[in-house]
Amino acid sequence: MKHNGKRGRKRPRGLRTRPKGRSVDPQALREVQTLLADAPRRRDLLIEHLHLIQDHYGHLSAAHLVALAHEMQLAPVEVYEVASFYHHFDVVKEGETPPPTITVRVCDSVSCELAGAEQLIPALEQEMGKTVRVQRVPCVGRCETAPVAVVGQNPIGTASLEQVRHAVEHQATQASLPAGTVDYQAYRTGGGYQVLRECLNGSRDLDSVLGALEDSGLRGLGGAGFPAGRKWRIVRGYAGPRLLAVNIDEGEPGTFKDRYYLERDPHRFLEGMLIAAWAAEINTVYIYIRDEYPACLQLLKNALAALEADPPMALPAIYLRRGAGAYICGEESGMIESIEGKRGMPRLRPPYVAEVGLFGRPTLEHNFETLYWVRDILEHGAEWFASHGRRGRKGLRSFSVSGRVQNPGVHLAPAGISLRELIDEHCGGMLPGHELYAYFPGGASGGILPAVLADLPLDFDTLQPHGCFIGSAAIIVLSDKDSAKVAALNAMRFFAHESCGKCTPCRVGTQKAAGLMAQNHWDVPLLEELAQVIGDASICGLGQAAPNPLRSIIKYFPEELA
């Protein structure tokens, strides 16, 4: 008897009758739904939702990831690839043991290595490695108090074994809000938001505001140094809607200036941000802050709540986004990808983010400190800011100084000051018994210069002829008791760890370079060839700058290679 239709057909061998992959666990789904509550299930909130689960359970189980994918109508692989990209998400596969309740993260970047992190880490592992998880991590943005250990979310500066043990025993895992912060009422009493009101009521016109920024010489203070006023004009020239993305993901080893100012005067930054939004006709703002700054995140939440409760004017929509431990998200397009709920992998350019940025719209991207100075420049005049400077340079620079100086910290100094002057006039000199030997002028990526070049002006465009750059003005000072070669290896290991993996020259090249640099005797011709490939063929600033410390050793410290 013949039949038609599907009834009676044999299933072809190998054909699945159920969807491939793990089915949704009902209990895990209920738990995820409870955590998300009424929050939107939009794709751009994926990382925020992952944080909710991680914060509550201490890790991301396979069951919760599948449940989150189901709830957000995403493929599980989309959720997994994002969760596994970021260092602060602990993805626990089925059958694996979740991490201990408490994690102790110890920074092992250059400043902390100089201050004894390599002795602290094994001591912690030996004493408490069976009860807590001890992790090496890259820079946590507190280099002035190196070495730094973070117990849960609680940072401990000038950390010792005894201090960390005490914090663990007392479950001191939460960061406390900084003292002495200028609150909303005090800021308003001191004339805060008056410049913004003058912009909105017509007392200040757009041309005068843009002109003041341009005349002041204010440039992007996150590292790239693009003129701020010109950037506002460029973004304003594209058809709306336009967005503003603020970068507070200062992951460059040696950098902590944004945290310093944010902890003290958050509304000064917010006023500058709102003036920028007004000038570029932007009605939606995203603030991206690194996960290593939990107290700053809460401080910003409090500041925005106070601002919204008593606004001096109609506010744009303002959204906070929390990073998850990825240095690459300090790169503007990597940050934008992360805000959109994706892996923070830099985009190929062109188009540039000013034209096609966040959610495909023209985007004004700014570093925190750039916006922090806007109010002061407009209030005191362009000449006030431009009048500071030495050796023909204009403006003020906030130097994050760490290493072998008596007074590490953020030091506000004239642009064009030399390192020797900075140490003598602002840092109290070198530590007793230490003589200046070398310095990083721009964090790990800025290269390394010898003491004989300590009289160069520290500013944009002054160090490139010497194979270095100022970047975010992160100064790490080495003494005659240190090795520049060892410091360069530390920097290369950092780049290898933080490479997003998108392009082969960076992903493979930095690993290979770190391995070669760890040898007692360097194969200099091979390393020079490798540096050329990494720098020329990488698609973003991480890979392009990664060879700088390596090249500096070959050029300026040949005696360490003998």
Side-chain angles (χ1 to χ4, degrees):
M1 179 178 175
K2 293 183 179 181
H3 61 81
N4 52 26
K6 295 182 180 179
R7 181 174 296 176
R9 286 183 181 175
K10 290 185 177 180
R11 177 170 61 87
R13 178 175 291 182
L15 182 66
R16 293 181 178 272
T17 58
R18 291 182 298 177
K20 181 180 179 180
R22 184 187 176 100
S23 58
V24 179
D25 178 82
Q27 178 63 26
L29 181 59
R30 286 192 293 270
E31 291 168 347
V32 167
Q33 289 172 336
T34 298
L35 284 175
L36 268 57
D38 296 329
R41 270 57 167 173
R42 299 193 315 269
R43 171 59 195 260
D44 64 286
L45 291 172
L46 174 57
I47 294 173
E48 295 295 305
H49 295 341
L50 288 169
H51 275 304
L52 286 174
I53 300 172
Q54 170 94 18
D55 290 346
H56 187 82
Y57 292 101
H59 63 279
L60 300 172
S61 69
H64 283 139
L65 291 178
V66 173
L68 180 61
H70 175 83
E71 188 67 12
M72 298 186 69
Q73 298 184 8
L74 297 171
V77 68
E78 292 181 87
V79 175
Y80 178 82
E81 72 173 4
V82 171
S84 60
F85 178 85
Y86 294 92
H87 301 312
H88 289 187
F89 289 141
D90 291 311
V91 177
V92 178
K93 298 178 182 178
E94 189 171 7
E96 290 183 343
T97 303
T101 303
I102 296 178
T103 294
V104 177
R105 297 181 171 91
V106 185
C107 173
D108 67 355
S109 290
V110 178
S111 300
C112 285
E113 183 179 69
L114 293 175
E118 290 302 324
Q119 291 73 49
L120 178 61
I121 292 170
L124 290 171
E125 290 174 334
Q126 181 176 355
E127 172 153 332
M128 56 185 63
K130 294 182 180 179
T131 56
V132 304
R133 179 175 56 169
V134 179
Q135 285 185 332
R136 291 174 172 268
V137 297
C139 186
V140 296
R142 297 180 178 274
C143 319
E144 79 277 29
T145 59
V148 181
V150 183
V151 179
Q153 292 186 328
N154 177 25
I156 300 173
T158 56
S160 66
L161 177 62
E162 292 73 20
Q163 289 173 309
V164 175
R165 183 196 303 120
H166 182 271
V168 170
E169 289 175 350
H170 291 81
Q171 301 287 300
T173 60
Q174 298 302 310
S176 57
L177 291 176
T181 303
V182 178
D183 64 18
Y184 180 65
Q185 202 55 51
Y187 185 74
R188 288 293 299 273
T189 301
Y193 293 108
Q194 182 58 36
V195 174
L196 175 62
R197 291 172 64 90
E198 291 170 0
C199 292
L200 292 172
N201 66 25
S203 300
R204 294 176 183 266
D205 61 76
L206 177 64
D207 286 340
S208 68
V209 169
L210 294 176
L213 285 184
E214 291 167 340
D215 293 343
S216 72
L218 180 67
R219 296 172 64 169
L221 297 173
F226 194 86
R230 191 192 312 170
K231 183 182 283 191
W232 292 13
R233 289 188 191 273
I234 290 171
V235 173
R236 183 183 172 90
Y238 290 110
R242 309 171 198 88
L243 297 95
L244 171 59
V246 183
N247 191 336
I248 318 182
D249 193 62
E250 56 172 0
E252 181 70 35
T255 307
F256 47 92
K257 61 185 178 59
D258 292 351
R259 173 187 58 79
Y260 175 88
Y261 287 124
L262 178 54
E263 288 177 342
R264 287 156 177 77
D265 201 352
H267 286 281
R268 192 170 301 269
F269 148 68
L270 290 175
E271 182 168 8
M273 179 188 80
L274 293 170
I275 292 171
W278 163 80
E281 294 187 340
I282 288 167
N283 58 16
T284 305
V285 177
Y286 286 83
I287 303 173
Y288 188 90
I289 185 168
R290 69 184 311 211
D291 198 33
E292 288 84 351
Y293 293 169
C296 288
L297 176 63
Q298 186 57 53
L299 189 154
L300 264 180
K301 288 179 178 178
N302 296 346
L304 286 171
L307 179 62
E308 290 167 355
D310 181 25
M313 79 304 289
L315 300 173
I318 303 174
Y319 301 100
L320 281 175
R321 289 291 183 267
R322 175 182 169 189
Y327 167 73
I328 194 63
C329 291
E331 195 275 341
E332 62 178 7
S333 65
M335 177 189 68
I336 284 172
E337 289 285 297
S338 188
I339 292 173
E340 292 181 357
K342 306 171 187 173
R343 295 178 294 170
M345 304 183 82
R347 299 174 178 177
L348 293 170
R349 287 167 286 191
Y352 295 93
V353 300
E355 180 182 6
V356 182
L358 190 55
F359 306 118
R361 301 306 311 166
T363 301
L364 177 62
E365 188 274 344
H366 263 312
N367 166 258
F368 169 93
E369 195 202 349
T370 311
L371 297 171
Y372 182 87
W373 289 110
V374 168
R375 173 197 162 180
D376 284 5
I377 289 172
L378 297 179
E379 191 171 51
H380 301 298
E383 179 57 30
W384 165 81
F385 189 79
S387 65
H388 298 280
R390 297 180 184 177
R391 301 176 178 88
R393 314 306 295 181
K394 294 170 64 174
L396 293 164
R397 294 288 176 270
S398 300
F399 294 95
S400 304
V401 186
S402 60
R404 308 299 193 181
V405 296
Q406 298 225 50
N407 300 320
V410 173
H411 297 287
L412 187 64
I417 194 173
S418 70
L419 175 78
R420 205 177 304 277
E421 292 167 337
L422 184 66
I423 292 174
D424 291 343
E425 297 174 23
H426 296 270
C427 302
M430 297 288 292
L431 285 172
H434 291 258
E435 293 184 10
L436 178 63
Y437 172 60
Y439 65 105
F440 289 80
S445 60
I448 309 174
L449 290 171
V452 294
L453 295 179
D455 295 312
L456 293 173
L458 295 174
D459 198 17
F460 296 112
D461 312 318
T462 62
L463 304 178
Q464 280 85 338
H466 304 278
C468 296
F469 59 81
I470 190 69
S472 59
I475 310 291
I476 306 174
V477 179
L478 308 183
S479 79
D480 56 342
K481 293 178 170 52
D482 302 314
S483 164
K485 179 183 174 183
V486 170
L489 173 58
N490 184 299
M492 187 60 73
R493 284 173 171 163
F494 169 80
F495 294 126
H497 181 266
E498 293 299 316
S499 173
C500 75
K502 184 171 185 176
C503 61
T504 303
C506 178
R507 181 184 68 249
V508 177
T510 52
Q511 290 282 358
K512 180 66 174 177
L516 291 170
M517 292 168 69
Q519 302 299 314
N520 289 331
H521 299 287
W522 283 16
D523 185 338
V524 172
L526 180 57
L527 279 167
E528 287 180 327
E529 183 179 358
L530 184 57
Q532 187 76 30
V533 173
I534 298 171
D536 289 349
S538 296
I539 68 172
C540 85
L542 188 155
Q544 293 162 9
N548 287 342
L550 159 61
R551 287 169 164 158
S552 296
I553 300 304
I554 296 172
K555 182 175 181 179
Y556 295 116
F557 304 92
E559 70 279 3
E560 292 201 30
L561 302 179

